[in-house]
């Protein structure tokens, strides 16, 4: 008699499924997310009316002129902000990277000051990039007033911390043969950097910087939602006025901007390979930053922002509010943020997985091109902008946040999933098809096991991102901690705002740890 | 004294890599280091060029203990030690002229060396060094456009240009065809002899070692198996040195899922 031993994986699988369901069920409650709401006649009516207004896009000369001006401001803010981030991040990376730590005698090791300084600088960078740029912008608007200056400062600080960390990592990931050889023949730290590390790391550094500039443009385009100038300010007004034709013009301009910057950044990456490419690129960057500052300066001078006001403003956040009254609100906001991020990401996992099939070319070229276009549009519109639009459809509250996260993240994950599908080895599936399996069965048994762990890992990484975003969506009224932050700052309760920011940082740290542990489990 | 090992040993992650090394090289000595793969030849050379710190005993290149020196004197000592690496340490995209000129970085000011990245410093001297490895025509090329053998010769030209007192070479001819390999060993040996410098070279080929080096050190399992003048090295000794099973390298670990590409982070 054959015995039928029980599958040892059965119970753990059942357990994890239950855990996931137990996590997912309350998220619907906390976010009041109800897909059926989207299909209700009155929602559809409002939306239909709004979308019908999209055609034709607004094209009065006065409006277009304003759009042009704000578009240039958006570009200038992104460029100047990235310039500031470079000035901040590059030295931070040079000092904190481990790539230049090479064998030395005990006496010759780093200066004690540098040794003590490094952990402090690393901590500073964590703080700088931990607070989302839109929150920095919100704070600077309160401190130095409306306009583009807060946007530049916000991008400079947040991206400065990010560039510092990523540059250091890029340097550490280079082959260490050249740096070790130069050290072994007596070259100093600066020499080792420029002669051994710089030549090989340059392409990756440039490509990441250019990519950050694309991010900066998207971020700069939504800074207007907190009063920090640019095209976002116009979008904010037009959305609040439910002016469909203006919104459609602005969205078109925005998508053109995103496509244009992608083209420019591709050009920059390729230019680096040519003979005088790096020289031309450096000159172009310097010119762009100079021109941006020249464009922004008149408004800053006219506003007469007083940077000295920053200190008393910063001081007003201390000590953070710890009174009993705040804890209830804080707990509710945290749970809501958590729920938005989990539900939004889960929906995006499903959406991304479904769209990845046609996007990887499984249903022919036309379907592939069309899905790619859809994914790019979903991804190209920043989450905050999706949230502003979702608030129109679902009303104020966390449900709009869920929808916004789901839409944007579907675009991101769909593209990544499609890439893993394209890179998966074709043989297992072909063998199953040749053995007579149906298409779905062949996919499920031949492809899915190959890609699913990577899909889950991507989703977890993206969830880390999303929890940060979920924490700020409240700025446009889409629930979570951001709503409380916005309220506290509007009421000049800086100490309460400080507590909310600390809660955001803790939550995002907690998410990173959870995700890291889960990914480690997945890998085994 | 050009290089002295006193009871030196190296333990990495709890595993002894080298132990009980005791030998000295006089000024102008020429020594070949042979032994099976995994015997510790590279580690020994890295102890000698100050990239690795001995975990037992001391290693004194050029009569100084590098691990007791302050940064200035340490850099000065390192400037007088030159190493040819098995994998030439050339950054991709760097031009050959700078890859060779890097041999004398330690004697330049920081600003001088930064300017030299834009306008190479001593193209004549560099081109002389390249002529000796037969690569003078590639001086303005980028290193990543050279073949493996050419890259290895650029690494050799760098050390020739550095003109160190103590010259270390870790299988410097592994990527060269036999003819070129022989020429190159002869070149390094003649260069060291002409300058009165000391040369220690690890070699895969026992024939090359016996043909060009008066003294041979045989290394096996991290210990010196023999340290003899060439005439005393018998084929029996060689057979013992290489006897036993080939140790296969450990299989690479299955990589986990990859991280989010940087282009999907905002």
């Amino acid at each position: 008699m054959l015995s039928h031993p029980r599958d040892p994986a059965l119970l753990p699988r059942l357990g994890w499924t239950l855990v996931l369901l137990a996590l997912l069920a309350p998220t619907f409650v906390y976010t009041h997310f109800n897909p059926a709401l989207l299909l209700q006649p009155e929602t559809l009516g409002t939306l239909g009316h709004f979308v019908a207004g999209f055609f034709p896009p607004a094209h009065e000369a006065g409006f277009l002129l304003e759009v042009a001006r704000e578009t240039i401001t958006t570009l200038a803010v992104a460029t100047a902000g990235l310039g500031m981030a470079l000035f901040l991040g590059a030295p931070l990376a040079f000092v904190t990277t481990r790539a230049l730590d090479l064998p030395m005698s005990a006496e010759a090791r780093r200066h004690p000051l540098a040794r003590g300084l490094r952990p402090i600088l690393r901590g500073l960078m964590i703080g700088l990039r931990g607070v989302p740029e839109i929150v920095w912008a919100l704070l600077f608007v309160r401190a130095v007033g409306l306009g583009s200056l807060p946007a530049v400062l916000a991008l400079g600080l947040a991206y400065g911390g990010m560039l510092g960390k990523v540059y250091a990592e890029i340097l550490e990931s280079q082959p260490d043969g050249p740096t070790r050889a130069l050290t072994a023949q007596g070259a100093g730290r600066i020499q080792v950097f420029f002669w051994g590390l710089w030549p090989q790391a340059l392409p990756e550094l440039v490509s990441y910087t250019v990519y950050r500039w694309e991010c900066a443009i998207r971020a700069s385009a939504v800074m207007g939602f907190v009063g920090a100038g640019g095209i976002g300010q116009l979008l904010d007004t037009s959305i609040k006025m439910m002016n469909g034709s203006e919104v459609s013009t602005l969205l078109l301009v925005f998508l053109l901007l995103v496509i244009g910057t992608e083209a420019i950044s591709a050009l920059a990456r390729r230019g680096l390979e040519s003979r005088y490419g790096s020289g031309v690129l450096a000159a172009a960057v310097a010119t762009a930053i100079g021109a941006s500052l020249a464009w922004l300066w008149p408004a800053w001078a006219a506003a007469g922002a007083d940077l000295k006001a920053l200190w008393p403003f910063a001081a007003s956040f201390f000590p953070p509010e710890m009174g009993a009254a705040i804890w209830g609100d804080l707990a509710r906001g945290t749970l809501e943020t958590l729920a938005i991020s989990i539900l939004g990401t889960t929906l995006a996992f499903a959406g991304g997985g479904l769209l990845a099939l046609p996007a990887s070319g499984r249903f022919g070229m036309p379907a592939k091109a069309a899905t790619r276009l859809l994914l790019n549009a979903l991804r190209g519109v920043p989450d905050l902008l999706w949230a502003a639009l979702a608030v129109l459809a679902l009303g104020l509250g966390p449900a709009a946040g869920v929808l916004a996260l789901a839409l944007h993240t579907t675009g991101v994950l769909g593209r990544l999933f499609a890439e893993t599908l394209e890179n998966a080895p074709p043989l297992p599936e072909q063998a199953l098809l040749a053995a007579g399996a149906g298409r779905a069965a062949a996919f499920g048994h031949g492809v899915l096991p190959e890609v699913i762990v990577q899909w889950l890992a991507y989703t977890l990484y993206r969830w880390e991102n999303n929890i940060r975003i979920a924490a700020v969506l409240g700025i446009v009224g889409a629930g979570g901690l951001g709503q409380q932050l916005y309220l506290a700052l509007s009421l000049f309760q800086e100490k309460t705002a400080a507590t909310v920011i600390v809660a955001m940082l803790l939550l995002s740290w907690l998410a990173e740890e959870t995700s890291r542990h889960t990914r480690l489990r997945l890998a085994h | 004294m050009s290089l002295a090992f006193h009871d030196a040993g190296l333990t990495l992650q709890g595993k002894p890599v080298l132990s009980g090394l005791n030998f000295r090289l006089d000024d102008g000595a020429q020594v070949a280091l042979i032994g099976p793969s995994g015997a510790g030849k590279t580690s020994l050379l890295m102890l000698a060029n100050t990239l690795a710190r001995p975990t037992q005993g001391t290693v004194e290149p050029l009569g100084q203990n590098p691990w007791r020196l302050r940064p200035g004197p340490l850099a000065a000592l390192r400037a007088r030690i030159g190493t040819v690496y098995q994998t030439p340490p050339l950054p991709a995209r760097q031009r050959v002229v700078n890859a060779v000129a890097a041999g004398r970085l330690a004697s330049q000011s920081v600003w001088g060396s930064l300017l030299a990245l834009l306008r190479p410093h001593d193209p004549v001297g560099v081109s002389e060094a390249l002529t000796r490895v037969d690569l003078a025509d590639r001086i303005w090329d980028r290193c990543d456009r050279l073949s493996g053998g050419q890259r290895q010769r650029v690494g050799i030209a760098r050390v020739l240009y550095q003109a160190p007192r103590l010259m270390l070479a870790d299988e410097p001819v592994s990527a060269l065809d036999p003819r070129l390999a022989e020429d190159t060993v002869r070149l390094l040996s003649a260069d060291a002899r002409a300058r009165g410098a000391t040369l220690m070279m690890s070699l895969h080929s026992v024939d090359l070692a016996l043909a060009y080096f008066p003294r041979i050190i045989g290394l096996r399992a991290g210990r010196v198996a023999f340290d003899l003048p060439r005439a005393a090295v018998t084929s029996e000794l060689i057979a013992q040195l290489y006897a036993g099973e080939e140790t296969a390298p450990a299989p690479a670990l299955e990589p986990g899922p990859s991280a989010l590409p940087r282009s999907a982070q905002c």
Side-chain angles (χ1 to χ4, degrees):
Chain A
M1 260 320 264
L2 270 176
S3 66
H4 291 275
R6 211 169 47 176
D7 180 357
L10 183 68
L11 272 180
R13 280 181 184 176
L14 210 65
W16 280 109
T17 312
L18 285 178
V19 167
L20 275 180
L21 285 180
L23 265 175
L24 224 46
T27 62
F28 282 93
V29 180
Y30 273 113
T31 60
H32 313 287
F33 184 71
N34 180 5
L37 219 61
L38 268 177
L39 302 175
Q40 269 179 2
E42 57 257 52
T43 319
L44 282 180
T46 334
L47 267 186
H49 188 69
F50 180 58
V51 171
F54 276 35
F55 308 98
H59 53 272
E60 306 83 58
F63 179 67
L64 286 184
L65 198 67
E66 206 177 354
V67 171
R69 210 170 35 232
E70 293 304 328
T71 308
I72 298 176
T73 302
T74 301
L75 272 168
V77 162
T79 311
L82 195 72
M84 177 178 160
L86 265 173
F87 272 100
L88 203 62
L92 279 172
F94 179 75
V95 176
T96 55
T97 185
R98 293 182 185 89
L100 296 165
D101 293 355
L102 292 155
M104 286 261 183
S105 63
E107 289 76 23
R109 273 204 202 113
R110 278 171 276 119
H111 197 273
L113 186 69
R115 292 177 77 175
L117 201 59
R118 268 185 163 188
I120 297 177
L121 290 180
R122 291 216 176 93
L124 174 74
M125 288 195 290
I126 292 175
L128 287 178
R129 63 172 188 271
V131 178
E133 59 262 23
I134 194 82
V135 173
W136 280 120
L138 195 58
L139 295 174
F140 280 121
V141 164
R142 290 285 177 277
V144 302
L146 297 169
S148 57
L149 181 60
V152 172
L153 293 176
L155 282 177
L157 289 188
Y159 282 26
M162 211 120 49
L163 290 184
K165 176 190 168 226
V166 175
Y167 283 172
E169 283 173 1
I170 289 178
L171 294 177
E172 281 156 23
S173 70
Q174 301 299 318
D176 65 347
T179 47
R180 288 168 59 84
L182 290 177
T183 308
Q185 59 186 43
R189 191 174 165 96
I190 295 177
Q191 287 179 324
V192 171
F193 174 74
F194 279 105
W195 283 71
L197 219 44
W198 178 255
Q200 53 182 356
L202 188 61
E204 214 179 325
L205 291 174
V206 167
S207 130
Y208 182 73
T209 311
V210 168
Y211 163 71
R212 261 297 142 200
W213 180 65
E214 287 178 41
C215 293
I217 285 177
R218 282 176 217 184
S220 150
V222 294
M223 289 291 187
F225 287 116
V226 296
I231 195 174
Q233 204 121 5
L234 297 179
L235 261 170
D236 191 34
T237 321
S238 304
I239 290 176
K240 280 186 181 138
M241 310 289 286
M242 297 274 297
N243 188 331
S245 69
E246 284 184 12
V247 170
S248 77
T249 304
L250 289 165
L251 281 179
L252 276 177
V253 168
F254 179 76
L255 286 177
L256 284 179
L257 202 60
V258 169
I259 294 169
T261 52
E262 273 173 15
I264 292 176
S265 76
L267 200 69
R269 285 189 196 107
R270 244 181 310 128
L272 200 62
E273 280 305 306
S274 65
R275 182 82 188 271
Y276 300 105
S278 23
V280 173
L281 193 63
V285 169
T287 315
I289 293 176
S292 301
L293 289 174
W295 171 266
L296 297 171
W297 181 251
W300 295 356
D306 184 11
L307 286 180
K308 276 193 226 101
L310 281 176
W311 297 116
F313 178 70
S316 69
F317 283 81
F318 293 97
E321 176 66 50
M322 287 302 194
I326 194 176
W327 294 112
D329 280 349
L330 213 56
R332 197 167 38 76
T334 306
L335 280 176
E336 218 170 81
T337 304
L338 207 58
I340 294 172
S341 71
I342 291 177
L343 188 53
T345 311
T346 310
L347 292 174
F349 173 76
L354 282 178
L355 289 178
L357 297 178
S360 65
R362 293 188 153 261
F363 303 116
M365 281 314 283
K368 174 174 176 169
T371 342
R372 291 249 154 172
L373 196 68
L374 173 65
L375 289 174
N376 281 340
L378 288 173
R379 192 169 56 92
V381 175
D383 8 49
L384 217 58
L385 184 44
W386 275 127
L389 294 170
V391 165
L392 285 185
L394 295 176
L396 291 171
V402 173
L403 184 62
L405 268 190
L407 288 173
H408 180 77
T409 311
T410 296
V412 176
L413 289 181
R415 200 182 63 132
L416 289 171
F417 290 178
E419 272 164 22
T420 35
L421 283 180
E422 282 172 357
N423 295 334
L427 211 56
E429 186 185 19
Q430 283 167 8
L432 290 174
L433 285 174
R439 284 184 73 174
F443 177 78
H445 288 257
V447 182
L448 213 53
E450 194 76 46
V451 298
I452 190 72
V453 170
Q454 183 66 63
W455 284 16
L456 289 172
Y458 279 154
T459 308
L460 281 166
Y461 277 116
R462 203 51 217 192
W463 174 62
E464 290 174 37
N465 249 34
N466 283 351
I467 202 156
R468 265 190 287 273
I469 296 164
V472 299
L473 290 179
I475 291 173
V476 295
L481 282 169
Q483 209 140 354
Q484 286 164 1
L485 180 69
Y486 195 72
L487 193 68
L489 284 172
S490 308
L491 299 175
F492 299 99
Q493 298 170 337
E494 282 87 4
K495 292 182 172 55
T496 308
T499 314
V500 178
I501 292 177
V502 170
M504 283 180 178
L505 288 175
L506 278 178
L507 192 60
S508 112
W509 173 76
L510 210 68
E512 270 173 37
E513 287 302 302
T514 315
S515 150
R516 196 166 59 83
H517 283 288
T518 321
R519 274 185 278 116
L520 279 178
R521 285 193 70 102
L522 273 178
H524 292 300
Chain B
M1 190 58 53
S2 265
L3 179 62
F5 277 61
H6 303 289
D7 274 324
L10 180 66
T11 304
L12 288 180
Q13 283 143 14
K15 276 200 214 147
V17 179
L18 292 168
S19 46
L21 300 177
N22 261 309
F23 63 85
R24 34 188 27 194
L25 271 59
D26 293 322
D27 287 344
Q30 301 215 342
V31 179
L33 191 61
I34 59 173
S37 358
K41 301 190 292 291
T42 300
S43 303
L44 189 154
L45 291 167
M46 295 307 123
L47 283 179
N49 83 353
T50 77
L51 272 183
R53 180 178 197 161
T55 42
Q56 298 97 40
T58 52
V59 175
E60 292 190 349
L62 300 173
Q64 286 180 293
N65 183 342
W67 306 100
R68 295 247 173 87
L69 293 177
R70 301 189 52 75
L74 177 66
L77 169 65
R78 284 173 162 175
R80 297 192 293 144
I81 307 173
T83 313
V84 181
Y85 297 84
Q86 189 175 4
T87 319
L90 312 176
R93 298 170 49 86
Q94 190 168 60
R95 289 192 298 169
V96 170
V97 60
N98 277 331
V100 175
R104 289 196 198 153
L105 266 187
S107 62
Q108 289 175 30
S109 73
V110 170
W111 286 116
S113 65
L114 292 190
L115 283 180
L117 280 174
L118 300 174
R119 190 168 176 284
H121 208 58
D122 174 22
V124 177
V126 168
S127 132
E128 273 167 22
L130 282 169
T131 308
R132 298 171 70 186
V133 296
D134 215 12
L135 275 179
D137 54 328
R138 308 302 296 269
I139 186 169
W140 304 113
D141 261 330
R142 263 169 47 176
C143 289
D144 50 0
R145 308 224 161 118
L146 302 180
S147 73
Q150 288 169 331
R151 288 166 59 87
Q152 199 159 41
R153 278 144 66 203
V154 171
I156 289 163
R158 173 192 280 193
V159 175
L160 292 176
Y161 183 71
Q162 184 187 355
R165 299 302 306 156
L166 172 59
M167 206 151 69
L168 305 163
D170 186 13
E171 306 211 1
V173 295
S174 57
L176 306 182
D177 64 58
R179 255 288 305 290
L180 206 51
E182 188 157 356
D183 289 350
T184 305
V185 172
R186 196 184 297 134
L187 168 68
L188 284 170
S189 159
D191 177 77
R193 196 173 312 115
R195 294 187 297 105
T198 308
L199 173 64
M200 185 173 200
M201 182 185 294
S202 73
L203 282 169
H204 211 64
S205 150
V206 179
D207 294 339
L208 271 179
L210 291 174
Y212 290 96
F213 289 86
R215 178 175 161 194
I216 314 283
I217 294 182
L219 202 63
R220 183 181 165 89
R223 293 176 171 276
V224 173
F226 60 79
D227 179 357
L228 295 168
R230 154 168 57 193
V233 178
T234 60
S235 50
E236 218 164 277
L237 278 176
I238 297 290
Q240 278 172 21
L241 187 66
Y242 287 94
E245 78 280 26
E246 286 276 322
T247 44
L253 285 172
E254 180 96 356
S258 50
L260 209 59
R262 293 210 175 93
S263 58
Q265 285 171 4
C266 83

